[in-house]
Amino acid sequence: MIKYLLILSAVLCVQSTAVAQIHKMERRDSAVTIRNHQLDPVVVTGSGHHQRLKSTATPVHVLSGTEIREQGISTLDGALTRMMPQVSMAPNSMGTFLRLNGLGNKYILILVNGQKLTGDISNNVDLSRIDMSRVKRIEVLDGAASSLYGSDAIAGVINIITDQPTDQLVGLTSSTRISGKGQWTESVNLDIFHKGFGSYTTFTHDQADSYRINDLEYVKGSDTETQQSIAPLFTGYRSNVFGQKFTWSPDEHLALNAGLNVSYKITDRPETNADISGGTDYEMRYKGLRWNVGGIYKFSNRYSLQGDFTADHFRYGKEYDVETKANAIGDYVLSKKQRSMAGELKAILRLTPHSTTIIGGAWRNDKLEATSGNIDKDVYTMAAYAQHEMRFFDHFTATVGARLTHHETFDNHFTSKAVLMYAPGAFRFRASYSGGFRAPGLDELYYHYFSVNRGKPQIIFGNQDLSPEKSHYFSLNAEYRTDKVIFSVTGYYNRIKDMVVRQNIDITDDRMTMLKGEFPEMTADQAEKLERYSLYTNSDEGDVKGLQVNASVNVFKGLNLSANYIWTLARTKSNDNWTVLERSIRNAATFTANYHKSWRRYGLNVNVNARFQSKTYYPDYEDAPGFGVWNVNTTHTFDCTSWAYLEPSIGIDNIFDRVDRRIDSNLRKYALYNPGRMVVVGLKVKLKY
């Protein structure tokens, strides 16, 4: 399939070239330009409406699509972890375990153009559904934001904003990235815009091989005896994403949009081998279908009404590539199917020249079918919210907001927000409070889960007596911002009540009798290997304390330096005992140097970036050591004609070959998944007329 798509892309390129030569249309801008990194972009996530970054009372971190391209990055996790130290990720066959400001996946709300992305595997987010070739910018909001965004926004919000160009009649772009370990990404975009109508088509193929750093593992129960293993540290995969979006703006008042996104992903793991451990009988296969319609009507520059409806379907299961007693090669067994439908209507009102008021309502229905967890449930939520932002006394801006959520299972819940910003000249001083709310997931409520992974049984019970999680987030921020320099310091405290955790319960004779009755399919051999089972419960509380320091400077025209640091202490308390949260990191920092220079029709961009972090805490396992990884990428832009340019790139990931070479064991976890030093090459071809 990929071969034919590439052939089709080549044909389209040739046809586009011929058309461009016939029409001889001049391009409106040049790809080869000297630019300073923009330090004051337009953002939307912090306040719910578009405004300049320096004007937001709620601090937001922004990563532009240009910065992502300059670093030679093709994945969302690479973009976030290289630039934002408060984000860490751990890839696995179940998706990506994401952590933001000390808290994990279920506390992070991921949005695409302001709409929630559904689809997780055991709370691991499937980030492969996000098409990075369309990313205009990524906005990250730290801390609770439930008054504006509802449930799940306790650790923060990651909002991926996509791009729909309107400065061209037809544009065709092909982007290729290749590196070691079989990593290959190919994206083809076709953009059409004419007289208010836009059509934006995308196809992306992404793949990577499985790998491990050390071929040895400790034999279970031994600290000295080792054996060979093929169990991957990083799980290989092949994925395809197709996207289509239409926009229509018949006049200056009305703008409509409709979009469709189809995704497919399958893992590529070593097969079961009788002579060596670590193989698997099946691959994990994921499918996603997401569509949305929406629009905005501007009555005037001061009043607008915006509506959106999104339907998101996601499923995953096991596709067998090794014959077993129960399954033939090619059999597919569904594990989990999720479906969500969400609608939102909001009015953005500028009642006075110095204020913005948002009033909105939202409805959402989530459904979960889990074969392995014996669940077929759905739940709805309805919410009404309001936010008012006002500037007064020239330098002060205040924001207050509130949301009332009605949850089908947990009744009504109220969250609020209050922010004050004092902005004299180039300085910004902010103080904020925001409440967070998370209703337990359907799996946490109803799971009745039994599975066997590599011969080891696992049992998980849901708990219908769970309480919703609630949080209180406080932050203080001081910032100095000019056209050349940004320096900011933020201290924050996030307190979470009734955290939902999985409690491990040791096996007794009475409990084993109960488990055999609950799961009659469990064999005597499996019961013998079962050491404990899990039950979702509310722990007493959790808290996260942190300090962020961010600096960016345009040293001179073409050279930008940025550095970011975060200190985090994330803990949970149960029965008067405080425990460091699993996978939390105490210290992390990122650094980037970007240089851009042009000579007539040639442009050079050199990007050096690094990530440093201290050890990763695993309370029940051996802590993973800290590391520092440096990368360099160069892009070379050639303005071939007025309608086309080429942009080859070459770089080195992990310049100093930092890898975690420890021998694998049942008590050992990892934080660095990098395979070592690799050359990365890419090519972007764009035709525009």
Side-chain angles (χ1 to χ4, degrees), residues 150-183:
S151 181
D152 301 345
I154 286 181
V157 178
I158 299 175
N159 193 5
I160 295 99
I161 310 296
T162 61
D163 188 24
Q164 290 83 45
T166 59
D167 61 342
Q168 57 196 19
L169 177 61
V170 177
L172 182 64
T173 305
S174 172
S175 299
T176 306
R177 181 186 186 273
I178 301 174
S179 65
K181 303 300 182 184
Q183 297 180 26

Side-chain angles (χ1 to χ4, degrees), residues 401-405 412-416 437:
R403 186 185 191 98
L404 180 63
T405 301
N412 300 324
H413 192 84
F414 179 82
T415 52
S416 59
F437 164 73

Side-chain angles (χ1 to χ4, degrees), residues 234-252:
F234 175 88
T235 301
Y237 62 88
R238 302 185 306 276
S239 75
N240 296 318
V241 178
F242 170 80
Q244 174 64 56
K245 186 169 186 176
F246 296 105
T247 63
W248 184 47
S249 300
D251 54 45
E252 61 182 6

